[in-house]
Structures are given as C-alpha cells and as structure tokens.
Amino acid sequence: MTVAEHGIGDLAAARLWAATTFPYLATGVFGAQVIAEPGSGTVSVDESWRMRADPELTAQWSPAQLGSVLIHHVCHLLRTHGERAQGAGVRPDEARRWVRAADAEINDDLVPAGLDLPGRPVLPRDLGAEDDLLAEQYFDGIRHASQAQSGAGAGAGDRPGQRAGGGLGGESQDRSAPSGAADTAGSWLDCGSGADGMPRPGDAPGGLSCWQAELLRRQVAQEVIAHARQAGTVPAGLLRWAEETLVPKVNWRVLLAAELRRAVAEVAGAVDYSYRRPSRRSAAVSEFSQVLLPALRRPVPEVAVVCDTSGSMTEDLLAMVLAEVEGLLRALGLARQVRVLACDTAVAPAQRVSSARQVQLVGGGGTDMGAGIAAAAALRPRPAVTVVLTDGYTPWPAAPPKGMRVVVGLLGGQAPEAPPWTRSVRVTGLAPG
Amino acid sequence: MSSRNPAVEALGVAVAARVPVLLWGAPGTGKTSAIRAMAEAMGLPCETVIASIREPSDFAGLPIVVGAEVRFAPPAWARRLAEAGHGLLFLDELSTAPPAVQAALLRVVLERAVGDLTLPDEVAVVAAANPPEQAADGWDLSAPLANRLCHLAWQTDPRSVADGLAGGWTAPVVPVLPDGWEAEEILSRGLVAAFLHVRPGLACVPPSDAAAAGRGWPSPRTWEMAARLMAAAGAAGTGDDARSALIRGAVGDGAGVEFLAWLVEMDLPDPERVLADPASFRLPERGDRAYAALAAIAAAVATDPTPERWTAGWQVLGLAADAAPDVAAVAARVLARCRPDGTALPAEIHLFAPVLRDAGLLPG
C-alpha cells in the first residue's frame, strides 16, 4: 500500500486532501485500490474498485486535482454507473455520451462543494439540461439532441449536445472524459469500465467482489447520512443517493401486481381445491377407499377499476397505471370482467367506460372516492375487488365496503396516505424496469 | 472465471448441506437442466415433480381407509427416493402451484415428509420457480413456504451463455464437505447469535407487503438455516459472493446485508484492546478497513483523552504511518485536536508533516 508501491507521487497527499475535503466519502476513497499503469495516458476505474493511473499524467496535477479525480471516480462506483449503463441500454459506440451524462450527475453538486478537477468539468448546463437529474435522464437528452442533429445531416453523432464552452487550449492537460472540452478529438480520456460498464482488456479478476463492493457502498451511504445529520454540509444530490441506497425504491409495478394478485387470490380462493364437487380421482381410488377428495375449482371474481378524474390528476401517469392494471388483470385471466368507472365529484354519477383510453380528466375539484367506491359496490354483478386510482386528495369512507377488497394506487410521490383498510401502492412515475 | 457463477456455487453448497433451496429465474434460463445435470454428475437419483400440476394429496398423501384408520399413501416418486436412501427431489414450477398445493408442500420441503412416509435425511430438496411477474399464471409464494427455503437468484450472464453454447454446459459441482464440518456450525451459530444480540429487531421480521412475502425473510428458522449454510460454505471453501448469496437467500436481502456488514466490522481490531497494547496493532490490508480501524481508535481516544491513551494512539498511528500515511494522517488530525493539557508532543507527529503539507493542510 505504500506510495512507492503505487509509483504515483502525491497519491497519499491527494487521498488525504480528498478524505479531509469530503470526509463523508473517505471510506470510499481509501477503499479503492490505486495501481500505477505507465503509458495508459488516463486514470480509469473498473467495477472491482481498482483504479489505474498513468503516473506521467498525474504528475502534472496538484494533490487537490488528483484527489478530485479520485473522488470523481469513487462517485462513478458509488452510483454504479457501469451497471446502470447496461440497464440504460448504452451501446459501445455510445459509451462516451453515457460517461458525459454520468459525469454531469456527479459533478452537478460536487463541483460547487469544492471538487477541483483538472480541466473543465462537464456540468448539466453543458448538456443543455437542468441540475439534479439522473445520468439516465442526461443521457436521453444527449441521445435526442444527437438524433436531431444526425437527422439534420450532421452525421457522426459523436458530438452530442452543445460543445462545452470554456475553450481551454492545453489538450494534454485536459482530462476531458469527465471534464470539459470533451469533444476535442484525441483528448478524450477513458474513465474505465466502472463508468460505462464496457469491459476493458486490462480488467483482470481480483479487486472487490460484487457483494464487497455493495457493502462498501452501503457503508459510504451510512457515513454520508451520519455526516449530514451532524454537520449538515453534504451536497443534496449525494444525500439523496445515500438515502436511496439504504432504502431502495420499490418498483411500483411489482408491488401493484403483487397486491392485485393477492386481492384476487384471497377473494377467489385462487385456483384452489374445494369439496363442492368430488374429485375425479375419487373414482380411480374408490376401489380401495370411501374417501371423498376435493376437486380443483376456479371461481372468477368480478373486478372494477375506479379512476379519479379530478383536475389535479396527471393524465400520463393515470393512463400508464390504467394500462398496467388492465395488463395485470388480463394476465390473471380477468380482462372481460373489468369495468372502469370514472369518478369526479360526489354528485356526478360514475360513468362506465370500456377502456383506459376513454377516461378523460374533466377537471374541477371536490373529488370523493367514497362515491366512486359506492358506485362500484352498486354494480351488478357486484365486484369482489375494486382498484382505486387517485392522487389521494379525497375523502374516504370511514369503514371498508362490505364484501369487497380495495386496492389503491396512489399516484404521485406527494399523495396523502390511503386508509388502513385498503392495500395501497404508491405510484411514483416512470420506475425502471 | 465464467464458470464461477456465484448462484451455481451457492446451489452446490446448499445441496451439500441438505438445506432446501429455491432457484428464482426467468423461464428458459436453464434452471431445470442445471439441476438435472447436477444430479447426474453426482450419480444421484433425481425425481422431478412439477408442483403446478399436482394436487395437495400428491404431497400430503392420498387418504385411504384401512380398517378403522385413514392412511396417507405416498406417491411412487416418494417411495423410490425412500428406497434409494438418497437422491434429489426437484420441485419444478413452484410459484405456479395453487395455494393449497403450496400448503401441502410445507412439510415436504422442510421435514421431507410425504404422507405417512418420511424421506431419508440424505435426500436433498431443490425447487425452481419463475418470478410471479414473469409467469403467466403465477402466484406469490406463501410466506410460510418462502420461509422454509433458501432463495437464490438464477442470473444468466451473457458471457456464460455464449461459453455454454459453444463448449457445452458445465454441471454445477456439489462440493464434498469434509467429515465433521457440522462442528463449524456451532461457530457460525455463535456469530448469528451475537449479531442478533446487537440487532434483536432482526430476529423475526415477517414481510409486510405482498411482493416481499414470497422471498426470504428473517425468522428463527431462517437464521438457523443461514448459520448452517455459512458453516457449509466455509467447509467447502466457496467464494465470498456465493457465501453472501446463501446468507441473503436464507434471511432476505435486508437482514442478510446487515449481517454481512456486521461480520466485516467484527474483523476490525477492538480499539480499547489496541490502546492497551499499541504494539499488537496490525494494520488491515484493505484501505477502507485500515481507515475504519484507525478512525475507530482515534474516536476512542477522543471520547476519553487521557495522556496515556493519547500517547498510545500516536504509537498506533506511528506503526501505520509507513504503510498508509494518508489513512493515518486523517486519524492524526483527529488526535491533534484532542491533546490533553500538559502532554508532550509525541515523536510520531513529525511523520505526518510532509503529507499534510503536500495536501495543503499545513501552513508552509
């Protein structure tokens, strides 16, 4: 571990600078192994938390600059950019754009916090985007911009978004992968597979295994949160990352599907065995015994969907959730039984629609889901499961409707809680997967 | 490299330890063929039972009146396994089994009881299931059944698919556990017990939402399972990834990760013991562990800065300064701030001046 072993001068000072300037990332900085790789001309990182640095390149930087590059690379690993690149469907020829998007995600709050990268760092405004977005969102923006460009005959498409301004001349000085002037051909430095998930020839086995990396990530996240509680000087984006790492977001689609399946299964008794009719096997075994065996029964429950159509609802989200619900019910073999009710105010009668496309947000206040649920209960045949899709700003009945299970989809992150007698799922927009 | 798939390795360990294991994976990813190939490679009889097309009586036994009592007759596959004395019971399509069949499976999975017949201890139970969102008519696994199995995610790595297509699939290898490996179980049970003393809230956490109910969750039974799997993984010399997959598979992701993090922390030296005898300090090899160890020692000194403890703290940092000057310097800054009145400056303080100056943290 000595500096001499690494062959990189100032590494100790750089790490010390990084650990003191960003104390909440210290564990991450010390957790990454740094290996000297003369002649590579870059500082890159792989997904096993190993950094390879060209001593000649780093010799040109001050300890603070090298420390900043270490922090930047650690953030690539903390935010699992390599893995997310695969999730975002980044093709090898798009890796550079992905890295720029990933850089913007890191830099948008760390550069204001004192990150001193050599060259000019990529910031969201260089990509024509706002701060505080995710790499996936920045990447989509770049993709669209480049498609628009190539559509207009710009060709190559390797020069997405706007050129980073700044106009720094010293190309060899410019560490341009995460830094500015990024498109100047030849000066692009490789951040490594830890940033874009594309395997490099030098990535040998070793380093930290997946779960060790996962534990290290959680450890850093805990320290970020602890630091924010004590000193309160953690950049907001990093804090959000830490919170999401420790309390992972649940995909609402999975949750909604599970709740719906459970409600239907509980009501229907699922595909289950009942003594209502004797099993056909009884005949086969009756030579030996007089035992009555149960047979497989599948009662098919009625399902109703009640949609809140008040003006505060988001149309896209509602359409998406409705489509999801219809798909789920179809998978359960219940598509024909579904009736969709659009419900707005307490006075207006619930209207019956046959598909998600017909639901219109009529606007106006005074939503009452109680009326919607009552309307669903009045349907004949009576539905056994009712799915309510609402933004939550509505009065609810005090008691559950008799003989009917209610699954609530709460649309939007700010929606107030649904009553405890429902099974509620929070739908928070476009979840991955 | 590609053959060391942690899920495959973990499957081998679970079968060797005779812990019921369930593979979750998309249809067509080779779960069934891997399990059959494994049984063939071990020379074990393998009985495949598709749970979704069976009736409860196939697992609970077919009731037959014999004289004045009802016997529960086991099906032929159970008889064959019992006669062979060993083998693999493979329950396929577990998540598409109707709830009543899942209920009937409870005793089969954990106690190996099929009707009135009890399968020999040497029979391993392996199951496979498609995640409910991927199977057309899937039901979530009932929480009691989920709690009796170690859940492994069967992932397909594009590289190993390519290798398998080109060069044939390799059967998972079931490690041969050395005699007396179960003695190690006492040690791992001790570790689990110590962890649960610190985090009693994790001893039993029934799942709260419907989606989580079908996966592993912490309960006394699964903690016991985790201890057994940990001992078996240790005896088989498996990789860290497989060991972690087994522990998380038994008690669920949340509790499993907490336990693994605690194990890592357990490896760190006790700060008080180090301060009592600074010469005994050995710097952990990994940078983040070294940082955790030194930061803990510095924090221990800072909470009670007597001159002896303070000087002992500097001695420890002096030992670490050569191998990890940057890590030690971070701790040195903490110590420098809590100097007890009238204590002489230690000699070690000079070791850190150059690196602090280079980092721009010292004037001059």
Side-chain angles (χ1 to χ4, degrees):
Chain A
M1 282 207 30
T2 65
V3 178
E5 262 172 47
H6 291 305
I8 300 164
D10 282 346
L11 179 66
R15 281 208 288 220
L16 180 56
W17 178 89
T20 342
T21 318
F22 298 95
Y24 37 88
L25 295 177
T27 297
V29 169
F30 291 125
Q33 197 187 346
V34 183
I35 303 161
E37 199 176 64
S40 69
T42 185
V43 179
S44 66
V45 66
D46 67 15
E47 288 180 274
S48 320
W49 286 72
R50 280 170 308 180
M51 287 185 202
R52 295 192 173 71
D54 184 352
E56 268 184 52
L57 181 71
T58 58
Q60 301 167 3
W61 297 337
S62 70
Q65 285 178 318
L66 179 55
S68 297
V69 172
L70 294 180
I71 289 276
H72 176 92
H73 278 8
V74 163
C75 285
H76 274 313
L77 296 172
L78 290 176
R79 291 174 180 266
T80 56
H81 280 149
E83 204 181 309
R84 281 164 59 193
Q86 290 178 343
V90 177
R91 296 189 304 268
D93 60 309
E94 291 175 315
R96 283 170 65 162
R97 292 181 199 161
W98 168 260
V99 173
R100 277 170 64 84
D103 288 340
E105 183 188 87
I106 295 171
N107 293 345
D108 59 3
D109 57 352
L110 284 188
V111 167
L115 204 64
D116 177 20
L117 289 169
R120 189 177 168 288
V122 177
L123 291 173
R125 61 171 176 275
D126 300 329
L127 309 173
E130 288 168 27
D131 279 7
D132 289 339
L133 297 182
L134 294 176
E136 283 84 355
Q137 292 164 307
Y138 291 132
F139 180 67
D140 279 348
I142 300 176
R143 229 185 208 173
H144 285 144
S146 87
Q147 274 164 3
Q149 255 184 28
S150 59
D158 226 355
R159 201 168 283 204
Q162 300 151 348
R163 270 291 297 269
L168 284 175
E171 295 199 354
S172 63
Q173 274 276 0
D174 258 358
R175 194 181 149 279
S176 16
S179 61
D183 295 317
T184 334
S187 73
W188 186 74
L189 299 185
D190 188 5
C191 272
S193 55
D196 58 18
M198 311 287 163
R200 300 292 192 281
D203 293 355
L208 299 192
S209 67
C210 293
W211 78 271
Q212 285 173 325
E214 177 62 33
L215 284 186
L216 189 55
R217 214 172 281 134
R218 288 178 63 91
Q219 179 70 36
V220 176
Q222 273 163 357
E223 284 170 12
V224 167
I225 287 177
H227 195 270
R229 283 203 188 118
Q230 285 167 10
T233 50
V234 177
L238 200 62
L239 189 59
R240 207 162 45 237
W241 163 80
E243 281 161 356
E244 280 166 14
T245 302
L246 292 181
V247 188
K249 261 200 210 149
V250 185
N251 187 344
W252 61 266
R253 289 164 209 265
V254 175
L255 214 54
L256 186 66
E259 290 295 355
L260 214 54
R261 267 197 306 272
R262 180 190 248 189
V264 169
E266 277 176 0
V267 170
V271 186
D272 219 338
Y273 290 85
S274 114
Y275 286 92
R276 274 197 209 164
R277 272 190 198 176
S279 166
R280 291 181 188 190
R281 280 191 190 185
S282 290
V285 294
S286 63
E287 284 176 52
F288 315 105
S289 76
Q290 296 300 310
V291 177
L292 214 56
L293 294 173
L296 193 63
R297 304 297 303 146
R298 179 171 186 162
V300 181
E302 295 285 329
V303 179
V305 180
V306 176
C307 294
D308 181 346
T309 58
S310 66
S312 50
M313 293 283 288
T314 326
E315 201 153 348
D316 292 349
L317 205 55
L318 180 64
M320 196 168 72
V321 181
L322 256 181
E324 192 78 22
V325 169
E326 281 194 338
L328 289 169
L329 293 172
R330 199 171 304 130
L332 291 170
L334 301 173
R336 267 181 305 160
Q337 276 75 27
V338 182
R339 282 153 299 171
V340 181
L341 304 176
C343 167
D344 181 17
T345 56
V347 281
Q351 65 188 99
R352 190 166 166 169
V353 292
S354 60
S355 115
R357 286 177 295 278
Q358 288 181 15
V359 176
Q360 285 176 344
L361 298 182
V362 290
T367 324
D368 185 3
M369 282 298 114
I373 292 173
L379 290 173
R380 292 291 176 272
R382 191 183 153 89
V385 176
T386 297
V387 182
V388 179
L389 303 176
T390 173
D391 57 7
Y393 296 99
T394 164
W396 293 95
K402 282 205 183 96
M404 191 165 85
R405 256 154 233 277
V406 181
V407 175
V408 178
L410 288 171
L411 276 57
Q414 314 296 317
E417 292 291 327
W421 47 266
T422 64
R423 301 289 307 187
S424 61
V425 177
R426 214 162 264 280
V427 176
T428 47
L430 301 150
Chain B
M1 184 168 86
S2 54
S3 65
R4 269 182 88 87
N5 180 344
V8 175
E9 222 178 327
L11 170 65
V13 173
V15 168
R18 301 291 183 262
V19 169
V21 58
L22 168 60
L23 303 181
W24 285 101
T29 48
K31 301 183 293 292
T32 305
S33 56
I35 291 167
R36 292 214 179 119
M38 183 175 74
E40 203 168 300
M42 289 166 74
L44 290 179
C46 175
E47 291 291 341
T48 305
V49 182
I50 311 254
S52 55
I53 54 165
R54 296 287 173 155
E55 290 196 357
S57 58
D58 291 344
F59 299 105
L62 202 60
I64 294 173
V65 183
V66 179
E69 60 174 18
V70 174
R71 300 241 176 103
F72 290 91
W77 56 262
R79 282 242 179 271
R80 283 197 295 271
L81 278 176
E83 275 160 22
H86 60 289
L88 207 65
L89 169 58
F90 175 35
L91 303 167
D92 209 351
E93 307 287 339
L94 203 60
S95 63
T96 40
V101 173
Q102 291 191 15
L105 273 168
L106 292 179
R107 284 201 68 209
V108 179
V109 167
L110 200 69
E111 292 159 35
R112 300 188 176 82
V114 185
D116 287 337
L117 180 77
T118 304
L119 298 176
D121 285 346
E122 280 303 297
V123 172
V125 179
V126 181
N130 304 320
E133 60 270 21
Q134 282 168 351
D137 50 352
W139 302 104
D140 293 289
L141 225 53
S142 68
L145 183 58
N147 196 242
R148 282 166 165 82
L149 294 154
C150 171
H151 302 250
L152 296 177
W154 192 259
Q155 281 155 344
T156 36
D157 161 29
R159 258 174 293 177
S160 64
V161 173
D163 288 353
L165 281 171
W169 309 96
T170 44
V173 181
V174 174
V176 180
L177 299 178
D179 285 340
W181 70 272
E182 274 148 326
E184 277 191 46
E185 207 182 321
I186 298 166
L187 186 73
S188 55
R189 274 164 176 261
L191 281 173
V192 171
F195 171 70
L196 292 179
H197 265 294
V198 190
R199 300 293 309 274
L202 288 177
C204 188
V205 190
S208 56
D209 69 63
R215 297 302 174 103
W217 48 277
S219 77
R221 175 167 47 217
T222 52
W223 279 117
E224 198 176 339
M225 204 190 274
R228 187 175 171 82
L229 288 168
M230 206 164 94
T238 42
D240 275 342
D241 276 328
R243 190 180 71 139
S244 130
L246 286 166
I247 291 173
R248 284 181 295 132
V251 296
D253 261 338
V257 168
E258 299 251 356
F259 178 57
L260 289 165
W262 179 82
L263 281 181
V264 169
E265 215 170 283
M266 279 284 293
D267 274 349
L268 295 177
D270 176 13
E272 294 303 331
R273 202 170 296 169
V274 172
L275 288 175
D277 179 15
S280 70
F281 180 70
R282 294 282 169 277
L283 188 71
E285 210 161 287
R286 257 175 63 182
D288 55 321
R289 305 262 174 88
Y291 172 68
L294 291 181
I297 290 166
V301 173
T303 50
D304 181 19
T306 63
E308 299 77 45
R309 288 162 66 88
W310 195 69
T311 319
W314 280 106
Q315 281 171 6
V316 173
L317 295 189
L319 291 173
D322 186 39
D326 40 4
V327 180
V330 176
R333 280 163 56 88
V334 176
L335 281 194
R337 268 184 244 125
C338 63
R339 179 179 171 192
D341 291 336
T343 318
L345 277 180
E348 287 88 0
I349 209 160
H350 301 294
L351 291 172
F352 300 107
V355 66
L356 286 167
R357 191 177 305 117
D358 285 349
L361 299 169
L362 273 190

Coordinates of all heavy atoms in Angstrom, one line a residue, chain A residues 365-419:
Chain A
G365 N -62.8 20.5 -8.8 CA -62.3 20.0 -7.5 C -63.4 19.1 -6.9 O -64.3 18.6 -7.7
G366 N -63.3 18.9 -5.6 CA -64.3 18.2 -4.9 C -64.4 16.7 -5.3 O -65.5 16.2 -5.5
T367 N -63.3 16.0 -5.4 CA -63.3 14.6 -5.6 C -63.8 13.9 -4.4 O -63.5 14.2 -3.3 CB -61.9 14.1 -6.0 OG1 -61.3 15.1 -6.7 CG2 -62.0 12.9 -6.8
D368 N -64.6 12.8 -4.6 CA -64.9 12.0 -3.5 C -64.8 10.5 -3.9 O -65.7 10.0 -4.7 CB -66.3 12.3 -3.0 CG -66.6 11.5 -1.7 OD1 -65.7 10.7 -1.3 OD2 -67.8 11.6 -1.2
M369 N -63.8 9.9 -3.5 CA -63.6 8.5 -3.9 C -64.6 7.6 -3.2 O -64.9 6.5 -3.6 CB -62.2 8.0 -3.5 CG -61.2 8.5 -4.5 SD -61.4 7.8 -6.2 CE -61.8 9.3 -7.0
G370 N -65.2 8.1 -2.1 CA -66.3 7.3 -1.4 C -67.4 7.1 -2.4 O -67.9 6.0 -2.5
A371 N -67.7 8.1 -3.2 CA -68.8 8.0 -4.2 C -68.4 6.9 -5.2 O -69.3 6.1 -5.6 CB -69.1 9.3 -4.8
G372 N -67.2 7.0 -5.6 CA -66.7 6.0 -6.6 C -66.8 4.6 -6.1 O -67.2 3.7 -6.8
I373 N -66.4 4.4 -4.8 CA -66.4 3.1 -4.3 C -67.8 2.6 -4.1 O -68.1 1.4 -4.4 CB -65.6 3.0 -2.9 CG1 -64.1 3.3 -3.2 CG2 -65.8 1.7 -2.2 CD1 -63.3 3.4 -1.9
A374 N -68.7 3.5 -3.7 CA -70.1 3.2 -3.6 C -70.7 2.8 -4.9 O -71.5 1.8 -5.0 CB -70.9 4.3 -3.0
A375 N -70.3 3.5 -5.9 CA -70.8 3.2 -7.3 C -70.3 1.9 -7.7 O -71.1 1.1 -8.4 CB -70.4 4.3 -8.3
A376 N -69.1 1.5 -7.4 CA -68.5 0.2 -7.8 C -69.3 -0.9 -7.0 O -69.6 -1.9 -7.6 CB -67.1 0.2 -7.4
A377 N -69.6 -0.6 -5.7 CA -70.3 -1.6 -4.9 C -71.8 -1.8 -5.4 O -72.3 -2.9 -5.2 CB -70.4 -1.2 -3.5
A378 N -72.3 -0.8 -6.1 CA -73.7 -0.9 -6.6 C -73.7 -1.6 -7.9 O -74.8 -1.9 -8.4 CB -74.3 0.5 -6.8
L379 N -72.6 -1.9 -8.5 CA -72.6 -2.6 -9.8 C -73.1 -4.0 -9.6 O -73.0 -4.6 -8.6 CB -71.2 -2.7 -10.4 CG -70.6 -1.4 -10.9 CD1 -69.1 -1.6 -11.3 CD2 -71.3 -0.9 -12.1
R380 N -73.8 -4.5 -10.6 CA -74.3 -5.9 -10.6 C -73.7 -6.6 -11.9 O -73.9 -6.1 -12.9 CB -75.8 -6.0 -10.5 CG -76.3 -5.5 -9.2 CD -76.0 -6.4 -8.1 NE -76.4 -5.9 -6.8 CZ -75.7 -5.1 -6.0 NH1 -74.5 -4.7 -6.4 NH2 -76.2 -4.7 -4.9
P381 N -73.1 -7.8 -11.8 CA -72.7 -8.4 -10.5 C -71.7 -7.6 -9.7 O -70.9 -6.9 -10.3 CB -72.1 -9.8 -11.0 CG -71.7 -9.6 -12.4 CD -72.7 -8.5 -13.0
R382 N -71.8 -7.8 -8.5 CA -71.1 -7.0 -7.6 C -69.6 -7.3 -7.6 O -69.2 -8.5 -7.6 CB -71.6 -7.3 -6.1 CG -71.1 -6.4 -5.1 CD -71.7 -6.9 -3.8 NE -70.8 -6.5 -2.7 CZ -71.0 -5.4 -2.0 NH1 -71.9 -4.6 -2.3 NH2 -70.2 -5.1 -1.0
P383 N -68.7 -6.3 -7.8 CA -67.3 -6.7 -7.9 C -66.7 -7.1 -6.6 O -67.1 -6.6 -5.5 CB -66.6 -5.4 -8.3 CG -67.6 -4.3 -8.0 CD -68.9 -4.9 -8.0
A384 N -65.8 -8.1 -6.6 CA -65.2 -8.6 -5.4 C -63.9 -7.8 -5.1 O -63.5 -7.8 -3.9 CB -64.9 -10.1 -5.5
V385 N -63.3 -7.2 -6.1 CA -62.1 -6.4 -5.9 C -62.3 -5.1 -6.7 O -62.7 -5.1 -7.8 CB -60.9 -7.2 -6.5 CG1 -59.6 -6.3 -6.5 CG2 -60.6 -8.5 -5.9
T386 N -62.0 -4.0 -6.0 CA -62.0 -2.7 -6.6 C -60.7 -2.1 -6.6 O -60.0 -2.0 -5.5 CB -63.1 -1.8 -5.9 OG1 -64.4 -2.4 -6.1 CG2 -63.1 -0.4 -6.6
V387 N -60.2 -1.6 -7.7 CA -58.9 -0.9 -7.8 C -59.3 0.6 -7.9 O -60.0 1.0 -8.8 CB -58.1 -1.4 -9.0 CG1 -56.8 -0.6 -9.0 CG2 -57.9 -2.9 -9.0
V388 N -58.7 1.4 -7.0 CA -59.0 2.8 -7.0 C -57.7 3.5 -7.4 O -56.6 3.3 -6.8 CB -59.5 3.3 -5.6 CG1 -59.7 4.8 -5.7 CG2 -60.7 2.6 -5.2
L389 N -57.7 4.3 -8.4 CA -56.5 5.1 -8.8 C -56.8 6.5 -8.6 O -57.7 7.1 -9.2 CB -56.3 4.9 -10.3 CG -56.1 3.4 -10.7 CD1 -55.9 3.3 -12.2 CD2 -54.9 2.8 -10.0
T390 N -56.0 7.1 -7.7 CA -56.3 8.5 -7.2 C -55.1 9.2 -6.8 O -54.0 8.6 -6.6 CB -57.3 8.5 -6.0 OG1 -57.5 9.8 -5.6 CG2 -56.8 7.6 -4.9
D391 N -55.1 10.5 -6.7 CA -54.0 11.3 -6.2 C -54.1 11.4 -4.7 O -53.3 12.1 -4.1 CB -53.8 12.6 -6.9 CG -55.1 13.5 -6.8 OD1 -56.0 13.1 -6.0 OD2 -55.2 14.5 -7.4
G392 N -55.1 10.9 -4.1 CA -55.2 10.8 -2.6 C -55.9 12.0 -2.0 O -56.2 12.0 -0.8
Y393 N -56.1 13.1 -2.8 CA -56.7 14.3 -2.2 C -58.2 14.1 -2.3 O -58.9 14.7 -3.1 CB -56.3 15.6 -2.9 CG -54.8 15.8 -2.8 CD1 -53.9 15.5 -3.8 CD2 -54.4 16.4 -1.6 CE1 -52.6 15.7 -3.6 CE2 -53.0 16.6 -1.4 CZ -52.1 16.3 -2.4 OH -50.8 16.5 -2.2
T394 N -58.7 13.3 -1.4 CA -60.1 12.9 -1.4 C -60.6 12.4 -0.1 O -59.8 11.8 0.6 CB -60.4 11.8 -2.5 OG1 -61.6 11.2 -2.3 CG2 -59.3 10.7 -2.4
P395 N -61.8 12.6 0.3 CA -62.3 11.9 1.5 C -62.5 10.5 1.2 O -62.8 10.1 0.1 CB -63.6 12.6 1.8 CG -64.0 13.3 0.5 CD -62.8 13.5 -0.3
W396 N -62.4 9.7 2.3 CA -62.6 8.2 2.1 C -63.7 7.8 3.0 O -63.9 8.4 4.0 CB -61.3 7.5 2.6 CG -60.1 7.7 1.7 CD1 -59.1 8.6 1.8 CD2 -59.8 7.0 0.5 NE1 -58.2 8.5 0.8 CE2 -58.6 7.5 0.0 CE3 -60.4 5.9 -0.2 CZ2 -58.0 7.1 -1.2 CZ3 -59.8 5.5 -1.4 CH2 -58.6 6.0 -1.8
P397 N -64.4 6.7 2.7 CA -65.4 6.2 3.6 C -64.7 5.8 4.9 O -63.5 5.3 4.9 CB -66.0 5.0 2.9 CG -65.5 5.1 1.5 CD -64.3 5.9 1.4
A398 N -65.4 5.9 6.0 CA -64.8 5.6 7.3 C -64.5 4.1 7.5 O -63.6 3.6 8.1 CB -65.6 6.1 8.5
A399 N -65.4 3.3 6.9 CA -65.3 1.8 7.0 C -65.2 1.2 5.7 O -65.6 1.7 4.7 CB -66.6 1.3 7.7
P400 N -64.6 0.0 5.6 CA -64.4 -0.7 4.3 C -65.8 -1.1 3.8 O -66.7 -1.4 4.6 CB -63.5 -1.9 4.7 CG -63.7 -2.1 6.1 CD -63.9 -0.7 6.7
P401 N -66.0 -1.1 2.5 CA -67.2 -1.6 1.9 C -67.3 -3.1 2.2 O -66.3 -3.8 2.3 CB -67.1 -1.3 0.4 CG -65.6 -1.2 0.2 CD -65.0 -0.7 1.5
K402 N -68.5 -3.6 2.5 CA -68.7 -5.0 2.8 C -68.4 -5.9 1.7 O -68.9 -5.6 0.5 CB -70.1 -5.2 3.4 CG -70.2 -4.7 4.8 CD -71.4 -5.5 5.5 CE -71.6 -4.9 6.9 NZ -72.6 -3.9 7.0
G403 N -67.7 -7.0 1.9 CA -67.5 -8.0 0.9 C -66.8 -7.6 -0.3 O -67.0 -8.1 -1.4
M404 N -65.9 -6.5 -0.2 CA -65.2 -6.1 -1.3 C -63.8 -5.7 -0.9 O -63.6 -5.0 0.1 CB -65.9 -4.9 -1.9 CG -65.4 -4.5 -3.3 SD -66.6 -3.4 -4.1 CE -66.1 -1.8 -3.4
R405 N -62.8 -6.1 -1.6 CA -61.4 -5.7 -1.3 C -61.0 -4.5 -2.1 O -61.4 -4.4 -3.3 CB -60.5 -6.8 -1.6 CG -60.0 -7.5 -0.4 CD -59.6 -8.9 -0.7 NE -60.3 -9.8 0.2 CZ -59.9 -10.1 1.5 NH1 -58.8 -9.5 1.9 NH2 -60.6 -10.8 2.3
V406 N -60.3 -3.6 -1.5 CA -60.0 -2.3 -2.2 C -58.4 -2.2 -2.3 O -57.8 -2.3 -1.3 CB -60.6 -1.1 -1.5 CG1 -60.2 0.2 -2.3 CG2 -62.1 -1.2 -1.4
V407 N -57.9 -2.1 -3.5 CA -56.5 -1.9 -3.7 C -56.4 -0.4 -4.3 O -57.1 -0.1 -5.2 CB -55.9 -2.9 -4.7 CG1 -54.5 -2.5 -5.0 CG2 -56.0 -4.3 -4.2
V408 N -55.6 0.4 -3.6 CA -55.5 1.8 -4.0 C -54.1 2.0 -4.7 O -53.1 1.7 -4.1 CB -55.7 2.7 -2.8 CG1 -55.5 4.2 -3.2 CG2 -57.0 2.5 -2.2
G409 N -54.2 2.6 -5.9 CA -52.9 3.1 -6.5 C -52.9 4.6 -6.2 O -53.7 5.4 -6.7
L410 N -51.9 5.0 -5.4 CA -51.7 6.5 -5.1 C -50.8 7.1 -6.1 O -49.6 6.7 -6.1 CB -51.2 6.6 -3.6 CG -52.2 6.3 -2.5 CD1 -51.4 6.3 -1.2 CD2 -53.3 7.3 -2.5
L411 N -51.3 7.9 -6.9 CA -50.4 8.5 -8.0 C -49.7 9.7 -7.5 O -50.3 10.6 -7.0 CB -51.3 8.8 -9.2 CG -51.6 7.6 -10.1 CD1 -52.2 6.5 -9.4 CD2 -52.5 8.0 -11.3
G412 N -48.4 9.7 -7.8 CA -47.6 10.9 -7.4 C -47.0 10.7 -6.0 O -47.5 10.1 -5.1
G413 N -45.7 11.2 -5.9 CA -45.0 10.9 -4.7 C -45.5 11.7 -3.5 O -45.3 11.3 -2.3
Q414 N -46.3 12.7 -3.7 CA -46.8 13.5 -2.6 C -48.2 13.1 -2.1 O -48.7 13.7 -1.2 CB -46.9 15.0 -3.0 CG -45.7 15.6 -3.8 CD -44.5 15.6 -2.9 OE1 -44.5 15.9 -1.8 NE2 -43.4 15.1 -3.5
A415 N -48.7 12.1 -2.7 CA -50.1 11.7 -2.4 C -50.3 11.4 -0.9 O -49.4 10.7 -0.3 CB -50.5 10.5 -3.2
P416 N -51.3 11.9 -0.2 CA -51.6 11.5 1.2 C -51.9 10.0 1.3 O -52.3 9.4 0.3 CB -52.8 12.4 1.6 CG -53.0 13.3 0.5 CD -52.4 12.8 -0.8
E417 N -51.8 9.5 2.5 CA -52.0 8.1 2.7 C -53.4 7.7 2.5 O -54.3 8.5 2.7 CB -51.7 7.7 4.2 CG -50.2 7.9 4.5 CD -49.4 6.8 3.9 OE1 -49.9 5.7 3.7 OE2 -48.2 7.0 3.5
A418 N -53.6 6.5 2.0 CA -55.0 5.9 1.9 C -55.3 5.3 3.3 O -54.4 5.0 4.1 CB -55.0 4.9 0.8
P419 N -56.6 5.1 3.6 CA -57.0 4.5 4.9 C -56.4 3.1 5.0 O -56.1 2.4 4.0 CB -58.5 4.5 4.8 CG -58.9 4.7 3.4 CD -57.8 5.4 2.7

